[in-house]
Amino acid sequence: MKIGFGSDHGGYDLKNAVMKHVAELGHDVFDFGSFEGERVDYPDYAKKVCEAVVARDVELGMLFCGTGIGISIAANKVNGIRCALLGDSFSARMAKEHNNANVIAMGGRVIGDNLAIDMVDQFLNAEFQGERHQKRLDKIKKMEE
Ligand code: RB5
């Protein structure tokens, strides 16, 4: 699977840790920056990754800032994006099964590497359950129009 990654300085180290794990799983990883851990603005990186998801250049996005809050808020402003801010492994599974999230976000200042990796595994191994959940996603889609 093609997966795009983006972060600001607050999520930079966690992005690199998760990206390494996802590459080791055999996925194609695309790093949209930031690249040096320098101080940057998280909306710029949410935009880059989310536009790539909408354009289908990548199938999923993974975003990281200090808390994950700002970058997930920015991501959800892009039409077609369903970004889930993750903090536990059960919600990570639900983010796929119920919400069919096409982007996930995490906070580098609040989530340790091992939890982040477990959440990513839960998310990637889950399947969208459709049916009543699709009906709800259709209602969200209508809100974008
Ligand atoms: C940057 O200092 C910080 O505000 C950002 O990484 C993020 O936590 C915002 O939600």
Side-chain angles (χ1 to χ4, degrees), residues 24-135:
E24 284 169 1
L25 290 177
H27 296 288
D28 295 326
V29 301
F30 296 84
D31 189 358
F32 289 80
S34 58
F35 296 110
E36 308 277 347
E38 73 279 20
R39 189 171 297 277
V40 294
D41 297 330
Y42 56 79
D44 299 334
Y45 296 91
K47 187 167 188 285
K48 286 177 203 279
V49 171
C50 291
E51 287 181 349
V53 171
V54 170
R56 298 179 192 272
D57 293 336
V58 295
E59 291 154 82
L60 280 177
M62 298 193 182
L63 296 174
F64 306 83
C65 68
T67 57
I69 296 171
I71 206 158
S72 61
I73 291 172
N76 280 312
K77 297 295 180 191
V78 178
N79 264 8
I81 294 300
R82 293 179 303 281
C83 176
L85 172 58
L86 300 182
D88 67 90
S89 297
F90 174 75
S91 298
R93 181 158 62 84
M94 290 299 111
K96 176 67 74 57
E97 289 187 359
H98 287 194
N99 310 113
N100 201 20
N102 49 13
V103 177
I104 57 173
M106 289 174 233
R109 294 175 181 155
V110 289
I111 302 291
D113 290 6
N114 290 339
L115 175 57
I117 284 166
D118 189 58
M119 292 194 297
V120 164
D121 287 347
Q122 290 287 331
F123 179 76
L124 291 175
N125 290 330
E127 281 189 27
F128 179 48
Q129 292 181 345
E131 298 179 3
R132 69 185 187 279
H133 305 295
Q134 183 59 56
K135 187 181 83 177

